[in-house]
């Protein structure tokens, strides 16, 4: 049987079948349609303005590596006029993050972008290895998620950027919708599909890969021969998101359009105001929310570090105090917090997070580049 020709150009030999559409196309057409779809997502959502300084959240994994490559390509092809930077967070996970950061450093050279690396140890005085040693693997993702979010904002403020883009893809967003359904978080379903989030005093964040399938990102990286790190975090195998991911893969196997269908369903949800109000009362802790609607409930600042918070202390300061006092799990629940308060006032010699100064304008900063 003769090889199939590309369904788009009708001349070259088809080299792959798109998981998203089922089309059999050649490599060059795949590159074109993938990049064009990302470009359309950016322009239709009006994510950037001419002259924006944009930090790309770089982990060294496939998503962030492809994002950096595609952002550079589209910025040059379509004259976005963006100043692009790489921003990496070093959580301090031996055998995982130290290796992936070597990939990020190579990407910095390959894509000719300034790179800033901010570590948990530098910011909090704790690495994830040390945290897991104290708390075990049951709740370690809570610490990492809270600390990483604040570290990204602080790193972006150091770079004086206007915008952070992350490599969250269609699979990630569909998983979040499923997680909200499985946890009964009805009021959040209408917001968790937002492509862009921004709080009053926070840097804008967006997801240019919102409609890009994970499989196609992997295929793009493979055919472009991009340099990325493929090992998963050693502390996340038992994370709750993994159950949603496994379920989503089963759905995708039966119906490839399930991923986009779930996202569109999340976009179309309309929740009654009385239901939204009930959900807010039940879940006062903003850090129990999914990342996409995290900013919606923050209106004040932490009295200790100046970061956004709906309480006197932000969640990062609460978790750090628990670690410092040898009561790590006390920062996770209200009951644990009350137990820590009953143990006595906060000692004056505890390590604290440096005070956060939100970015204002684009002051001159020194940007670190690593060879």
């Amino acid at each position: 049987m003769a090889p199939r020709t590309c369904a788009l150009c009708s001349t070259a030999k088809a080299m792959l079948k798109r998981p998203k559409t089922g089309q059999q196309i050649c490599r060059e057409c795949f590159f074109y349609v993938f990049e064009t779809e990302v470009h359309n997502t950016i322009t239709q959502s009006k994510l950037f303005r001419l002259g924006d300084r944009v930090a790309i959240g770089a982990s060294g994994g496939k998503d962030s590596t492809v994002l950096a490559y595609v952002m550079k390509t589209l910025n040059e092809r379509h004259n976005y006029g963006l100043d692009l930077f790489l921003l990496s967070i070093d959580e301090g996970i031996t055998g995982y993050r130290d290796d992936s950061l070597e990939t990020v450093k190579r990407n910095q050279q390959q894509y000719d972008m300034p790179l800033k690396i901010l570590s948990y140890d530098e910011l909090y005085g704790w690495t994830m290895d040390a945290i897991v040693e104290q708390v075990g693997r049951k709740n370690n993702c809570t610490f990492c998620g809270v600390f990483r979010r604040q570290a990204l904002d602080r790193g972006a403020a150091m770079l004086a950027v206007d915008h952070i883009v992350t490599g969250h893809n269609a699979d990630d967003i569909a998983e979040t919708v499923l997680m909200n359904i499985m946890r009964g978080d009805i009021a959040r379903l209408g917001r968790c599909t937002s492509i862009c989030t921004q709080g009053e005093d926070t840097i804008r964040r967006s997801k240019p890969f919102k409609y890009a399938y994970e499989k196609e990102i992997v295929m793009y990286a493979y055919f472009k021969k991009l340099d990325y790190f493929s090992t998963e975090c050693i502390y996340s195998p038992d994370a709750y998101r993994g159950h949603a991911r496994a379920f989503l893969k089963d759905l995708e196997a039966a119906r490839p359009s399930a991923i986009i269908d779930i996202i569109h369903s999340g976009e179309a949800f309309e929740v009654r105001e009385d239901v939204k109000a009930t959900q807010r009362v039940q879940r006062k802790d903003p850090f129990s929310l999914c990342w996409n609607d995290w900013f919606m409930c923050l209106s004040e600042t932490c009295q200790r570090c100046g970061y956004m918070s709906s309480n006197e202390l932000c969640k990062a300061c609460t978790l750090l105090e628990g670690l410092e006092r040898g009561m790590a799990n006390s920062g996770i629940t209200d009951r644990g917090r009350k137990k820590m308060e009953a143990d006595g006032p906060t000692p004056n010699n505890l390590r604290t997070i440096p005070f956060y100064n939100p970015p204002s304008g684009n002051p001159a900063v020194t940007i670190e580049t690593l060879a």
Side-chain angles (χ1 to χ4, degrees):
M1 187 169 123
R4 292 180 178 270
T5 57
C6 174
L8 297 180
C9 69
S10 300
T11 55
K13 177 183 176 182
M15 298 292 292
L16 57 96
K17 182 177 180 180
R18 290 192 70 188
K20 188 175 184 178
T21 63
Q23 287 179 312
Q24 297 190 43
I25 57 178
C26 65
R27 280 189 295 183
E28 292 304 316
C29 283
F30 171 63
F31 297 152
Y32 175 78
V33 295
F34 182 87
E35 293 163 2
T36 300
E37 287 175 2
V38 176
H39 170 66
N40 290 340
T41 298
I42 290 171
T43 54
Q44 291 170 9
S45 302
K46 299 178 180 179
L47 295 186
F48 307 117
R49 296 167 300 202
L50 184 69
D52 273 355
R53 294 165 60 89
V54 179
I56 300 169
S59 66
K62 63 183 186 312
D63 297 317
S64 64
T65 299
V66 173
L67 178 62
Y69 181 89
V70 171
M71 285 296 300
K72 178 179 174 64
T73 299
L74 297 180
N75 189 38
E76 295 172 351
R77 179 184 300 165
H78 299 287
N79 299 314
Y80 291 166
L82 306 178
D83 289 328
L84 299 176
F85 305 85
L86 296 176
L87 173 60
S88 292
I89 305 303
D90 180 4
E91 299 94 343
I93 303 175
T94 304
Y96 168 65
R97 183 56 71 212
D98 49 356
D99 291 338
S100 67
L101 285 176
E102 292 303 315
T103 304
V104 174
K105 294 173 185 177
R106 292 195 298 272
N107 291 159
Q108 186 268 325
Q109 297 292 326
Q110 294 158 356
Y111 305 151
D112 190 27
M113 293 182 191
L115 169 65
K116 170 67 181 178
I117 298 176
L118 182 62
S119 71
Y120 281 10
D121 192 27
E122 174 186 352
L123 188 57
Y124 308 113
W126 286 77
T127 64
M128 276 308 298
D129 286 341
I131 292 172
V132 171
E133 186 176 343
Q134 183 168 140
V135 306
R137 299 200 176 198
K138 183 177 181 181
N139 294 311
N140 66 86
C141 287
T142 298
F143 286 84
C144 196
V146 171
F147 285 170
R148 187 192 305 113
R149 169 160 288 279
Q150 185 167 151
L152 273 172
D153 273 334
R154 288 173 178 269
M158 293 175 185
L159 292 173
V161 299
D162 308 291
H163 205 127
I164 302 172
V165 292
T166 59
H168 292 95
N169 56 49
D171 298 56
D172 297 325
I173 296 171
E175 288 165 12
T176 301
V177 174
L178 291 176
M179 288 170 64
N180 286 332
I181 292 173
M182 290 189 288
R183 291 190 295 207
D185 295 335
I186 303 301
R188 303 173 192 170
L189 287 173
R191 299 194 301 266
C192 68
T193 56
S194 298
I195 192 171
C196 187
T197 57
Q198 182 175 25
E200 184 177 345
D201 295 317
T202 60
I203 297 169
R204 195 177 188 202
R205 292 172 182 243
S206 64
K207 300 174 281 293
F209 282 172
K210 177 182 177 180
Y211 300 112
Y213 275 33
E214 181 180 43
K215 287 181 179 178
E216 298 204 347
I217 292 172
V218 173
M219 292 168 65
Y220 187 92
Y222 174 77
F223 285 114
K224 283 284 186 178
K225 295 181 171 56
L226 301 184
D227 183 6
Y228 69 92
F229 185 76
S230 58
T231 302
E232 295 292 331
C233 177
I234 61 176
Y235 294 139
S236 66
D238 299 324
Y240 186 66
R241 179 174 288 272
H243 300 292
R245 180 176 295 116
F247 180 48
L248 182 64
K249 294 306 179 187
D250 289 341
L251 291 177
E252 184 188 10
R255 180 186 173 93
S257 66
I259 293 173
I260 291 296
D261 292 341
I262 290 171
I263 293 175
H264 289 328
S265 296
E267 292 171 334
F269 273 117
E270 293 185 9
V271 184
R272 295 199 316 266
E273 290 301 320
D274 58 325
V275 175
K276 292 181 182 179
T278 302
Q279 292 291 306
R280 289 192 191 102
V281 170
Q282 290 176 348
R283 293 175 176 85
K284 295 180 181 179
D285 179 4
F287 289 94
S288 67
L289 305 177
C290 72
W291 284 13
N292 299 319
D293 63 296
W294 178 81
F295 292 117
M296 302 296 291
C297 61
L298 300 178
S299 59
E300 300 177 359
T301 57
C302 174
Q303 293 183 1
R304 185 173 296 172
C305 76
Y307 193 68
M308 293 72 67
S309 175
S310 61
N311 301 304
E312 288 186 5
L313 294 183
C314 69
K315 192 65 174 180
C317 281
T318 302
L319 291 174
L320 181 59
E321 181 177 341
L323 287 169
E324 291 288 309
R325 296 175 66 171
M327 306 170 66
N329 289 316
S330 62
I332 297 175
T333 64
D334 288 338
R335 178 188 297 180
R337 178 65 185 172
K338 290 177 181 178
K339 181 180 179 181
M340 187 164 63
E341 290 173 349
D343 193 55
T346 303
N348 294 327
N349 61 346
L350 282 190
R351 188 162 27 196
T352 58
I353 306 172
F355 201 82
Y356 176 69
N357 295 307
S360 56
N362 286 329
V365 293
T366 301
I367 298 177
E368 298 178 12
T369 57
L370 303 180

